[in-house]
Each structure stands twice: as C-alpha cells, then as structure tokens.
C-alpha cells in the first residue's frame, strides 16, 4: 500500500511572516501598475460615449474602473454613489471620465 499523505515541509513563523509580507508588498505593486491600465480603459470608454444617448438608459454621465466603483459603493453605499450630488462632484473631479455633464 502506498502513502497518500506526503511529508510537507515545516516552516517557522518567521518564514511564514516574511512570505506574507512579500506577497502583500508585491500585491500593492501589481495593483498600482494595473490601476493605470484600468483608468485608461475607462477614459477610452468615456470618449466613445461622448454625445451618445442610449434609447433606454439615456446619456452616460460617468465611467470608472469596476474596482473603484465597488470600493466606493462598499465604503459609501449604493445610493450615495448614484446620487446627483456625487455625480456632479465626480464630473468636476474627473472630467476626463465624464463624457456628458449632468
């Protein structure tokens, strides 16, 4: 009969902590590197939507990367992120991501 369970290497707490810190630091670097790409994609979408009106949804007033949208709705709530005041603020702050004004 063969052994199904293999011997796993044992790591010290220091080695585990160091591996976690390395993963966290690399994750932050990767997030920062990919954030620019996501914003560039949102800018391109905003330029494509400029002056267009959807037959059901109306005019697009703001685009943002999905991660940013979910962070904002998690922090401030769905109603606040979709409020007219927030969208006016977003139009001023990120004019390049706002294809049509409110």
């Amino acid at each position: 009969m063969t052994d199904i369970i293999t011997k796993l290497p044992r790591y010290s707490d220091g080695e585990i902590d160091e591996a976690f810190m390395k993963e966290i630091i690399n994750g932050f670097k990767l997030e920062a590197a990919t954030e620019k790409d996501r914003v560039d994609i949102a800018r391109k979408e905003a330029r494509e939507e400029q002056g267009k009106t959807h037959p059901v949804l109306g005019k697009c007033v703001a685009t943002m990367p999905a991660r940013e949208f979910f962070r904002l709705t998690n922090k401030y709530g769905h109603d606040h992120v979709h409020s007219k005041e927030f969208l006016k603020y977003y139009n001023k702050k990120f004019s390049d991501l706002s294809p049509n004004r409110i």
Side-chain angles (χ1 to χ4, degrees), residues 1 7-8 18 34 43 47 49 64 72 76 81 100:
M1 183 170 204
K7 291 191 177 212
L8 298 174
E18 184 179 331
T34 58
R43 268 193 201 105
R47 272 181 283 177
E49 292 296 323
M64 67 177 66
L72 288 171
Y76 298 110
V81 173
N100 302 301

Side-chain angles (χ1 to χ4, degrees), residues 36-53 59-64 90-91 94-101:
K36 181 185 179 310
D37 296 335
R38 290 191 294 269
V39 171
D40 289 343
I41 291 169
R43 268 193 201 105
K44 181 182 174 193
E45 290 173 1
R47 272 181 283 177
E48 291 171 358
E49 292 296 323
Q50 204 164 16
K52 292 182 182 176
T53 303
K59 288 188 175 190
C60 175
V61 293
T63 62
M64 67 177 66
Y90 192 81
N91 285 164
F94 302 103
S95 60
D96 57 334
L97 296 175
S98 303
N100 302 301
R101 301 282 179 221

Side-chain angles (χ1 to χ4, degrees), residues 20-101:
F20 276 137
M21 285 306 296
K22 191 181 289 185
E23 183 65 30
I24 289 169
I25 290 169
N26 290 338
F28 281 134
K29 288 179 183 176
L30 179 63
E31 182 70 22
T34 58
E35 179 67 20
K36 181 185 179 310
D37 296 335
R38 290 191 294 269
V39 171
D40 289 343
I41 291 169
R43 268 193 201 105
K44 181 182 174 193
E45 290 173 1
R47 272 181 283 177
E48 291 171 358
E49 292 296 323
Q50 204 164 16
K52 292 182 182 176
T53 303
H54 189 275
V56 176
L57 301 175
K59 288 188 175 190
C60 175
V61 293
T63 62
M64 67 177 66
R67 286 188 185 190
E68 186 66 23
F69 173 76
F70 290 119
R71 284 185 195 130
L72 288 171
T73 55
N74 190 30
K75 186 173 182 178
Y76 298 110
H78 187 271
D79 293 336
H80 179 73
V81 173
H82 287 86
S83 70
K84 196 168 190 172
E85 294 81 26
F86 177 81
L87 290 173
K88 284 183 180 181
Y89 163 77
Y90 192 81
N91 285 164
K92 287 180 188 174
K93 182 83 172 165
F94 302 103
S95 60
D96 57 334
L97 296 175
S98 303
N100 302 301
R101 301 282 179 221

